[in-house]
Structure formats: structure tokens, C-alpha cells
């Protein structure tokens, strides 16, 4: 799947997206950014509740292409500006991390 | 005496702080803002504390030599030492416990060790804002055993705070708590709730401080005053 396919998932709202052409091959769920930094696979989407600009920096370091911010948390402006700069797409959803992960797993063909 | 205290500030050593926020600039601006007791608390490193000591001496400010330690749960804890050498030793210990991840200055910011004039002496390669391998309780014990003040930082922040990351405040002999909005915090374990600037840029120096009723302007007097929340007040 590509990043823009995430925008089509039910209940996902696009906060920042470029063309959304980047390929996504995997996903990682986590809120401890040190763990994300060490273990998230490249070319993945991160499912998290950490809605701040440090998440973008960590995503960039770990070659994560997109962030899905769960539990209806809002994304601050400085986070979205950082996302634009690092070309990392950001989506929000009311879903829990589990619900969002299920939808993404299905879209990735992993279940 | 009523002392003005601000116990949470960064310098250009912290990747997230501005490169021009040198320890000397911090001390001078704190002096302008009439701060009596000032702490420098860079993330997981003590490398700018020596120059901070010199700057505070020139500015007639009582320095506390601090680190903002990141626990394995990503909770930020302020550890404050009266003696520079104790803070330097603790800083070496804490840096040793950071994972071997290199900083990417473009993403996270530069990590600069500077002299009194602000000349760059060294740029630190290791990412200082990572989480150490020490758990919250281990940080407490290590710092308390070294006679430091131990203060969970910004407990009312949604990230990197004990309440957000652990969900509750474990029972420990904290020296105090720190909050961004201290008057909104419900009294916890009869602890003083302080507020600090958490300055990352020049304009943030002195933005939050509190007043402490002290016998005299000293570390011991501050430690004593922190035993009773009635000694602390705020400028709202």
C-alpha cells in the first residue's frame, strides 16, 4: 500500500499529506519513542498517541513514512510543520491503537 | 528572606534548546530577572555545568547543578546538586547509560559545550535526549543516595511526565514536584509544587519561577524550606 491509502481508511482524518506516493510495507504500534526509535521497521506507519513534534523527529530517524495519532488526540501546529519539513504524513483518528492497528493490518494484507 | 527560584533551565547542550542559549546568557538574564537561585538542567548531561558555575559566580546567583534525567519510561526527572563535582560525576554516570545512538543535529538540534564567552568547545555526538536504561525508581535512588534534590519534572505535561507516563505518582521521598501550572495541582503527599521556566530559548528565561521563604540563600536552607509547602508561593 502507499501512504495515501491510509487517508481512505474509515475514521482517519488527514492532517498533513504530500502526494502520499511513498510505499508502506509494515506498521509499528508504540508510545515509548525510545522503543520506536530502536525497533520500528523502515517504510512503516507508526500507530501512537504521541502527538508532538518529537514523534516526527523519531519517525524521520527510523524511516517511518506516516503517523496515525489515535484516541482523538489533536496534532499541534508545530508538529504538522515539522511533518511537512520531514515529508512525513500525519493522520488522526478516534480509534484506539488496537482498532487503528486492525484496520491497517487488513489494508497491508497481514490478516 | 523571600528568594526567587527557577530550578529548570536548558542550555545549548540540550538538542532541543537554541544554540545561542549559553550558560552565561542564562545566568545574566536570570540576574536581570532577579532570580536568586538558578539551576541548569540539560538533558542527561552535565557538560555545561562548569561554565554555568563560573557564570553564576560572576552574576552573584546561587547555582544548583542539575540534570534533567530521562528514565527508561521516558519520564523527566530533575536532579539538582549543590556541588559541581557531584553533578559532574552523576552526569558521567547518566551519559554512560544512554543508548549508543548518534544525534542528528538537523532533526533534533546541535549539542554544544561552550566556554564563558560562548565559544564552542565541543559538539556532542551521542544523542543526549534519549532515554537512559535506568528505571524511575532507580533514578530516584541513585540521585537521593548522592544527596541531590530530586524533582519529577512538569508533572502536568501530557508527555515525559510521571503522571502521563506511569499513570500515578509512586511513593518516594521526592524533594518536591514541578508543574507548569502549580496552582492547578492537587496537594500530593504534602509535597511542595514548584514551577520552573524550562527555558529552551533566551526569551523563555525567567518565564516561570516561584518564591521560597528561606532562612538564608543557601542550598541547605532551600532543602529545609521544601519540607513545608507553605514556604512556596507563585507569581500568577
Amino acid at each position: 500500500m502507499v501512504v495515501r491509502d491510509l487517508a481512505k481508511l474509515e475514521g482517519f482524518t488527514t492532517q498533513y499529506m504530500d502526494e502520499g506516493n511513498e510505499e508502506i510495507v509494515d506498521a509499528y504500534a508504540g508510545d515509548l519513542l525510545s522503543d520506536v526509535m530502536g525497533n520500528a521497521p523502515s517504510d512503516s506507519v507508526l500507530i501512537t498517541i504521541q502527538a508532538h513534534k518529537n514523534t516526527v523527529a523519531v519517525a524521520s530517524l527510523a524511516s517511518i513514512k506516516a503517523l496515525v495519532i489515535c484516541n482523538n488526540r489533536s496534532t499541534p501546529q508545530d508538529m504538522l510543520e515539522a511533518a511537512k519539513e520531514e515529508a512525513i504524513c500525519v493522520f488522526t483518528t478516534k480509534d484506539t491503537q488496537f482498532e487503528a492497528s486492525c484496520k491497517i493490518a487488513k489494508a497491508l494484507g497481514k490478516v | 528572606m523571600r528568594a526567587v527560584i527557577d530550578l529548570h533551565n536548558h542550555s545549548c547542550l540540550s538538542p532541543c534548546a537554541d544554540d545561542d542559549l549559553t550558560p552565561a546568557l542564562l545566568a545574566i538574564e536570570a540576574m536581570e530577572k532577579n532570580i536568586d537561585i538558578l539551576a541548569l538542567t540539560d538533558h542527561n548531561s552535565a557538560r555545561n555545568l562548569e561554565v554555568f558555575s563560573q557564570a553564576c559566580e560572576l552574576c552573584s546567583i546561587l547555582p544548583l547543578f542539575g540534570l534533567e534525567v530521562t528514565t527508561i519510561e521516558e519520564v523527566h526527572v530533575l536532579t539538582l546538586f549543590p556541588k559541581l563535582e557531584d553533578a559532574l560525576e552523576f552526569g558521567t554516570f547518566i551519559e554512560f547509560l544512554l543508548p549508543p545512538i548518534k544525534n542528528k543535529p538537523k532533526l533534533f538540534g546541535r549539542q554544544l559545550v561552550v566556554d564563558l564567552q560562548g565559544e564552542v568547545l565541543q559538539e556532542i555526538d551521542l544523542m543526549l535526549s534519549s532515554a537512559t536504561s535506568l528505571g524511575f525508581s532507580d533514578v530516584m535512588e541513585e540521585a537521593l543516595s548522592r544527596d541531590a534534590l530530586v524533582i519529577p519534572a512538569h508533572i502536568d505535561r501530557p508527555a515525559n511526565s510521571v503522571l502521563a507516563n506511569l499513570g500515578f505518582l509512586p511513593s518516594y521521598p521526592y524533594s518536591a514536584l514541578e508543574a507548569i501550572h502549580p496552582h492547578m495541582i492537587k496537594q500530593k503527599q504534602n509535597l511542595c509544587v514548584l514551577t520552573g521556566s524550562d527555558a529552551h530559548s533566551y526569551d523563555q528565561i525567567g518565564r516561570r519561577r516561584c518564591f521560597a521563604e528561606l532562612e538564608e540563600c543557601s542550598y541547605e536552607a532551600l532543602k529545609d524550606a521544601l519540607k513545608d509547602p507553605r514556604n512556596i508561593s507563585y507569581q500568577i
Side-chain angles (χ1 to χ4, degrees):
Chain A
M1 68 186 282
V2 291
V3 169
R4 64 172 175 277
D5 294 329
L6 288 166
K8 297 174 199 154
L9 293 179
E10 192 197 335
F12 282 34
T13 307
T14 303
Q15 299 299 334
Y16 168 71
M17 187 167 70
D18 46 21
E19 295 81 39
N21 290 331
E22 295 269 13
E23 191 75 26
I24 289 182
V25 298
D26 208 341
Y28 197 78
D31 299 321
L32 266 188
L33 295 181
S34 51
D35 171 69
V36 171
M37 210 182 310
N39 297 314
S42 311
D43 301 323
S44 64
V45 48
L46 175 66
I47 300 130
T48 186
I49 56 166
Q50 293 284 15
H52 50 75
K53 68 175 183 180
N54 290 337
T55 316
V56 175
V58 167
S60 177
L61 194 76
S63 299
I64 289 166
K65 304 298 182 202
L67 306 172
V68 174
I69 305 295
C70 298
N71 284 357
N72 210 22
R73 294 207 178 202
S74 55
T75 46
Q77 197 51 40
D78 62 349
M79 179 188 185
L80 296 179
E81 279 162 20
K84 191 172 178 183
E85 201 161 304
E86 298 300 326
I88 289 167
C89 303
V90 182
F91 306 90
T92 51
T93 175
K94 284 181 184 164
D95 291 349
T96 64
Q97 290 102 310
F98 175 71
E99 290 163 338
S101 297
C102 288
K103 288 177 187 173
I104 291 166
K106 208 171 161 188
L108 282 169
K110 290 195 180 271
V111 287
Chain B
M1 70 173 287
R2 171 175 279 203
V4 184
I5 63 173
D6 185 357
L7 305 184
H8 189 169
N9 291 288
H10 294 268
S11 77
C12 47
L13 178 60
S14 295
C16 40
D18 282 359
D19 291 347
D20 59 3
L21 183 55
T22 64
L25 184 68
L26 173 65
I28 292 166
E29 187 60 15
M31 177 179 68
E32 294 287 326
K33 299 249 163 86
N34 299 314
I35 290 164
D36 299 301
I37 305 179
L38 179 72
L40 174 60
T41 50
D42 281 311
H43 291 292
N44 303 309
S45 180
R47 292 178 190 242
N48 266 347
L49 288 178
E50 199 161 347
V51 68
F52 175 68
S53 170
Q54 296 163 12
C56 285
E57 195 175 340
L58 292 171
C59 293
S60 301
I61 289 175
L62 177 69
L64 288 185
F65 304 108
L67 283 85
E68 185 175 20
V69 178
T70 312
T71 73
I72 199 168
E73 307 91 344
E74 296 183 359
V75 176
H76 288 181
V77 179
L78 302 174
T79 55
L80 307 170
F81 296 82
K83 287 188 193 150
L84 174 62
E85 55 270 28
D86 290 345
L88 294 177
E89 184 271 328
F90 191 62
T92 306
F93 170 67
I94 289 298
E95 269 192 42
F96 180 71
L97 298 169
L98 288 169
I101 298 173
K102 279 177 78 171
N103 184 39
K104 284 202 172 174
K106 193 184 152 284
L107 283 174
F108 297 98
R110 299 175 74 190
Q111 305 179 142
L112 306 175
V113 180
V114 295
D115 66 11
L116 200 56
Q117 283 73 39
E119 293 296 323
V120 177
L121 301 176
Q122 196 186 357
E123 184 156 3
I124 305 300
D125 223 20
L126 182 71
M127 196 199 286
L128 296 174
S129 56
S130 302
T132 65
S133 54
L134 278 183
F136 183 76
S137 54
D138 299 323
V139 171
M140 286 292 138
E141 280 162 25
E142 291 289 348
L144 287 169
S145 73
R146 288 168 166 83
D147 197 30
L149 295 179
V150 183
I151 304 173
H154 38 62
I155 61 165
D156 49 352
R157 240 180 66 174
N160 299 121
S161 76
V162 62
L163 294 182
N165 289 37
L166 301 189
F168 70 110
L169 187 69
S171 188
Y172 273 100
Y174 306 107
S175 310
L177 304 171
E178 187 214 36
I180 294 168
H181 305 290
H183 48 287
M184 305 284 280
I185 302 291
K186 227 173 88 186
Q187 185 66 56
K188 289 179 194 297
Q189 300 172 18
N190 202 35
L191 290 164
C192 288
V193 183
L194 307 177
T195 191
S197 289
D198 196 2
H200 284 74
S201 60
Y202 172 76
D203 60 299
Q204 293 174 347
I205 300 170
R207 66 175 165 171
R208 288 189 292 268
R209 57 245 173 111
C210 40
F211 303 109
E213 298 297 336
L214 305 182
E215 289 290 329
E216 55 172 24
C217 192
S218 72
Y219 172 77
E220 289 305 327
L222 175 65
K223 202 172 168 183
D224 261 357
L226 291 178
K227 289 175 186 158
D228 186 348
R230 287 173 299 186
N231 290 323
I232 301 297
S233 55
Y234 317 103
Q235 188 178 43
I236 298 173

